[in-house]
């Protein structure tokens, strides 16, 4: 049977939420919300969004224990010199949480994803 026992520690968060297609759908909604946010949209004016989504799907899959390795740029290098504030960072995290909730991802999994990605704040927020 394919029914999953959510308390089974053998099942990765990646598998529990529905694997690659589910995460791609979360990341799609996440960027729709980020790009609809007037405080954030300008940061992405010159960004190749297809590449960004591909890398973001890989990163989220990896932190959820999926069989995918993130092979994009180092996060500090990708965000350097962009003037990203702690407030911007908080809004991006809120959009990610919103997209995970909209896909009925359980709270404890959301907490783990936010814990892992939230820990990157020091690499992403510019200090000058
Ligand atoms: C949880 C926080 C964040 C994570 C995990 C994250 C992750 C990533 C990843 C994986 C990439 C792709 C790097 C590559 O293509 O090699 C990227 C690129 C980018 N991020 Fe973030 N990011 C975060 C927060 C932010 C914030 C707060 C902003 C600005 C408001 C931002 C703006 C950008 C921009 C503009 C790019 C594209 C760079 C380019 O055009 O090459 N990110 N981010």
């Amino acid at each position: 049977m394919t029914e999953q026992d959510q308390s089974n520690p053998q099942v990765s968060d990646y598998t529990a939420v529905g694997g690659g297609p589910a995460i791609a759908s979360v990341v799609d909604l996440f960027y729709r919300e980020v790009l609809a946010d007037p405080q954030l949209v300008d940061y992405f004016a010159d960004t190749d969004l297809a590449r960004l989504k591909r890398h973001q799907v890989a990163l989220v899959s990896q932190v959820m224990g999926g069989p995918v390795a993130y092979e994009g740029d180092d996060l500090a290098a990708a965000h350097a010199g962009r003037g990203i504030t702690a407030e911007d960072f908080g809004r991006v995290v809120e959009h990610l949480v919103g997209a995970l909730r909209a896909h009925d991802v359980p709270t404890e999994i959301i907490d783990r994803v936010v814990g892992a990605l939230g820990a990157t704040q020091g690499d992403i927020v510019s200090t000058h």
Side-chain angles (χ1 to χ4, degrees):
M1 292 281 107
T2 55
E3 194 178 340
Q4 283 168 9
D5 174 2
Q6 296 202 337
S7 67
N8 181 350
Q10 309 277 337
V11 175
S12 68
D13 289 343
Y14 174 89
T15 300
V17 304
I23 293 172
S25 179
V26 167
V27 170
D28 252 20
L29 177 59
F30 166 60
Y31 278 115
R32 245 183 288 143
E33 296 297 329
V34 167
L35 298 175
D37 184 332
Q39 186 177 319
L40 301 176
V41 63
D42 290 347
Y43 286 103
F44 297 89
D46 297 323
T47 296
D48 173 348
L49 291 176
R51 174 192 142 111
L52 179 61
K53 275 188 196 170
R54 201 164 58 243
H55 286 164
Q56 197 68 261
V57 169
L59 181 63
V60 173
S61 299
Q62 180 180 295
V63 304
M64 294 179 92
V68 179
Y70 172 68
E71 288 172 348
D73 290 344
D74 171 78
L75 287 187
H79 298 89
R82 296 183 187 277
I84 297 170
T85 66
E87 198 193 336
D88 297 328
F89 186 89
R91 285 178 87 98
V92 165
V93 170
E94 274 174 34
H95 289 307
L96 181 61
V97 169
L100 289 161
R101 284 211 186 110
H103 286 76
D104 295 326
V105 171
T107 305
E108 80 257 26
I109 295 182
I110 295 179
D111 289 349
R112 282 195 285 273
V113 173
V114 168
L117 295 182
T120 66
Q121 176 160 356
D123 286 337
I124 288 171
V125 169
S126 299
T127 50
H128 55 270

